[in-house]
Amino acid sequence: MLLAPTSDAQRGPELLQRRYPLGGVGDPKPSSSASAFHFSGLEASFSDGCWRFAGTVEPATRGHAWTVTIILKMLGDDGSELDRLKIAEVSLSNDSRGKAERTAEGTAVLSASHSVDGLAFSGVSEPLPDREQLCELGLEIAGELLAKGRV
């Protein structure tokens, strides 16, 4: 199961909300929750003790070089992060147009020049530490648009 990160916090029962209000006082300020990236075709499957994942990422704004970091998370029944899961392999379907690298920390970094509209990626996690403890998979994707002129 892939879960997209959300900025909506669970507020709790109405009575508790009134008794212990969360947030600032006064008029709420508009928040910019629009992502700088769009994701599609996110999928994952579990086989041979490893998670296999794939998807496509593209910047919402064209004309910038960009990078994206992918982190795999082992999730509990309630959706909370139990641990991180290292990525063993990552590759691009359209590899001539971008670059995919696995970091020493076990994350994946995808990068593309300003002329690339999107990258289709796939990868495999390292085996689960305890094969008996099958978990849900969370895929965290964080991106950055680079200043014009940077590659």
Side-chain angles (χ1 to χ4, degrees):
M1 174 179 191
L2 297 176
L3 298 176
T6 63
S7 61
D8 298 335
Q10 196 170 23
R11 294 193 51 139
E14 183 69 31
L15 183 59
L16 286 175
Q17 289 178 38
R18 284 184 288 192
R19 184 164 184 155
Y20 304 104
L22 299 174
V25 178
D27 294 332
K29 295 183 180 172
S31 65
S32 173
S33 61
S35 174
F37 293 88
H38 299 289
F39 311 100
S40 61
L42 293 177
E43 57 185 49
S45 62
F46 187 76
S47 68
D48 298 325
C50 300
W51 280 100
R52 300 178 189 292
F53 60 94
T56 300
V57 60
E58 57 187 46
T61 304
R62 308 282 188 234
H64 293 270
W66 50 279
T67 64
V68 170
T69 302
I70 301 171
I71 299 170
L72 298 182
K73 296 180 176 185
M74 297 170 57
L75 303 178
D77 292 338
D78 62 353
S80 64
E81 180 180 339
L82 299 175
D83 202 358
R84 298 258 171 120
L85 188 58
K86 291 185 176 187
I87 295 172
E89 301 172 25
V90 64
S91 61
L92 299 176
S93 299
N94 43 0
D95 58 356
S96 63
R97 298 178 27 189
K99 188 165 134 182
E101 297 177 294
R102 186 183 159 280
T103 69
E105 295 81 26
T107 64
V109 177
L110 312 180
S111 56
S113 70
H114 64 86
S115 63
V116 176
D117 293 341
L119 294 172
F121 61 89
S122 62
V124 179
S125 75
E126 290 187 351
L128 285 180
D130 179 4
R131 288 184 182 219
E132 301 299 318
Q133 184 188 6
L134 181 59
C135 62
E136 290 186 8
L137 179 69
L139 186 68
E140 180 180 307
I141 303 174
E144 177 184 12
L145 294 175
L146 304 176
K148 290 194 177 195
R150 285 182 59 190
V151 178

